Amino acid sequence: MRPQLLRSSLSCLVPVYASCNKVLTQAAAAPHLYCFRKAMHYQTEQRGQPNSPDYRLYFKTSDGKYISPFHDIPLIAESDQDGDVPAKKLKSENEVLYNMVVEVPRWSNAKMEIATKELLNPIKQDVKKGKLRFVANIFPHKGYIWNYGALPQTWEDPSHEDTETNCCGDNDPIDVCDIGSQVCSPGQVIRVKVLGILAMIDEGETDWKVIAVNAEDPDAKNLNCIEDVRKSRPGHLEATVDWFRKYKVPDGKPENQFGFNGQFKDKDFAVKIIKSTHEHWRALVRKEQTAGGIECKNVSRCDSPFRCGADEARGVVQSAPAFGSARPVSSEVDKWHFV
């Protein structure tokens, strides 16, 4: 990994991320060495009523300081190794693990997402025409067929025309499909190995889908590239394209299209796209790029004019409705659709 990318991700972390500071110093001197004393763990706090438009899932550090999962969780994941273990020398930058913020657990239907246009960017359920959004069960699929989420500190710039797809970005963090066997929880932050990427074109916008696997998955050691997925999990990649192609059809939308004729690009290509979206995010939080409605308030970026203090962040969460009982979900969510 280039040292400037690592520095941009970690250099301005406040004391809540003090365990990372040692890495910055070491990486500057030896960019391929990564040594972390302990991985940063995150907690979530529910506000509002689940299954309602006011439900929000806020993020905080293990010591209770509220953060933005979009802007304050580093793109590059930390290691769980102890401080006494020598730093591991990586063979290439493609061995780097990334943080993934899980928005939607596998097999579920509620379209949960990071609220990019709200203060501190909590996870909420998407609403369209006044109704909560649920993805349809398109036979033979049930809900989302992977743990679905996003890479923090990335942004698909809607003013930037991608040279590969000739379409602009969709104004969101880059999406991730975790193909691991564990069913995750909304708000869980997992470390993933990137395996490849799919270029979906959604209503004329580039909407990259990173294919990754949870680094803690028993099969992770055997999955190192997109071809490994094709060989060990026959039909999974084809099912992924089929899912993304058709998931909006029951809502009356046309099928989504894809760049590269719906073929998955390899790990090297995926890493290049991730780096590009990370640079776009950096310009966003530095106010070097028009925000396009994105809320950039954060607690850790000392190079950002949007940085706020812990008290202000706490006030944002406390102003949200108190956590309450879940509302019922319509039985229509379980309906089968044949497309």
Side-chain angles (χ1 to χ4, degrees):
M1 161 161 274
R2 295 177 315 194
Q4 59 266 38
L5 178 59
L6 182 62
R7 284 196 294 268
S8 68
S9 299
L10 301 177
S11 61
C12 294
L13 302 183
V14 291
V16 297
Y17 301 122
S19 63
C20 300
N21 292 339
K22 183 177 179 181
V23 179
L24 176 62
T25 304
Q26 292 174 335
H32 297 295
L33 297 181
Y34 298 80
C35 179
F36 296 84
R37 289 196 174 278
K38 186 178 180 182
M40 174 64 71
H41 297 285
Y42 302 96
Q43 301 174 352
T44 55
E45 181 175 320
Q46 299 180 87
R47 307 288 290 193
Q49 291 181 278
N51 308 319
S52 77
D54 69 1
Y55 179 74
R56 297 293 184 272
L57 195 63
Y58 287 94
F59 285 71
K60 55 188 176 182
T61 59
S62 55
D63 57 357
K65 295 182 179 179
Y66 294 103
I67 61 169
S68 159
F70 187 2
H71 305 303
D72 293 312
I73 295 177
L75 171 62
I76 306 301
E78 301 173 8
S79 167
D80 278 327
Q81 67 189 33
D82 295 328
D84 295 334
V85 177
K88 178 182 177 182
K89 185 175 182 179
L90 301 180
K91 293 179 181 178
S92 75
E93 61 187 11
N94 284 356
E95 292 186 33
V96 170
L97 299 181
Y98 296 86
N99 280 317
M100 171 186 173
V101 178
V102 177
E103 297 165 312
V104 187
R106 187 169 71 242
W107 312 136
S108 63
N109 298 78
K111 194 176 187 305
M112 308 300 290
E113 60 186 16
I114 292 174
T116 59
K117 298 182 179 181
E118 294 187 13
L119 294 171
L120 293 187
N121 316 113
I123 287 178
K124 69 169 188 176
Q125 188 167 353
D126 191 24
V127 176
K128 199 146 202 175
K129 296 181 179 178
K131 293 184 178 181
L132 295 173
R133 287 187 66 188
F134 295 87
V135 299
N137 300 305
I138 299 179
F139 185 83
H141 310 306
K142 170 63 177 81
Y144 287 77
I145 61 174
W146 351 254
N147 296 305
Y148 190 68
L151 293 183
Q153 297 189 346
T154 63
W155 180 53
E156 297 184 80
D157 186 350
S159 68
H160 174 76
E161 183 176 298
D162 191 278
T163 57
E164 304 291 346
T165 64
N166 297 319
C167 295
C168 294
D170 71 346
N171 205 30
D172 284 323
I174 198 167
D175 297 320
V176 191
C177 302
D178 161 42
I179 65 172
S181 57
Q182 177 187 354
V183 177
C184 295
S185 303
Q188 190 173 347
V189 180
I190 62 175
R191 300 181 304 148
V192 297
K193 291 172 62 175
V194 168
L195 306 173
I197 197 167
L198 178 68
M200 191 179 88
I201 309 300
D202 185 357
E203 299 182 22
E205 296 177 332
T206 301
D207 192 1
W208 294 104
K209 308 297 180 183
V210 173
I211 307 302
V213 62
N214 189 333
E216 305 304 318
D217 192 89
D219 287 340
K221 62 182 181 297
N222 300 317
L223 295 172
N224 298 295
C225 64
I226 203 71
E227 286 306 312
D228 288 343
V229 181
R230 198 179 306 281
K231 293 174 184 176
S232 67
R233 302 188 177 191
H236 198 156
L237 295 180
E238 291 79 4
T240 293
V241 174
D242 185 64
W243 195 96
F244 280 120
R245 188 186 304 279
K246 298 176 180 177
Y247 83 101
K248 288 187 176 181
V249 173
D251 296 330
K253 296 285 187 68
E255 291 186 351
N256 284 317
Q257 304 300 309
F258 301 90
F260 312 106
N261 296 316
Q263 297 300 306
F264 289 83
K265 302 297 284 184
D266 64 18
K267 185 174 186 175
D268 289 342
F269 189 96
V271 170
K272 182 181 75 170
I273 297 299
I274 292 169
K275 286 181 180 180
S276 174
T277 58
H278 178 66
E279 291 304 318
H280 292 154
W281 168 82
R282 287 185 65 211
L284 176 71
V285 295
R286 289 176 168 184
K287 212 172 184 178
E288 297 169 354
Q289 181 59 276
T290 303
I294 298 295
E295 176 53 61
C296 298
K297 194 172 290 294
N298 64 87
V299 301
S300 66
R301 299 296 306 183
C302 61
D303 57 349
S304 171
F306 301 103
R307 183 179 174 187
C308 71
D311 289 343
E312 185 177 352
R314 187 184 310 109
V316 170
V317 179
Q318 290 178 345
S319 66
F323 178 62
S325 57
R327 293 185 183 177
V329 175
S330 170
S331 60
E332 283 292 305
V333 173
D334 294 323
K335 178 180 178 181
W336 278 116
H337 295 263
F338 296 85
V339 176

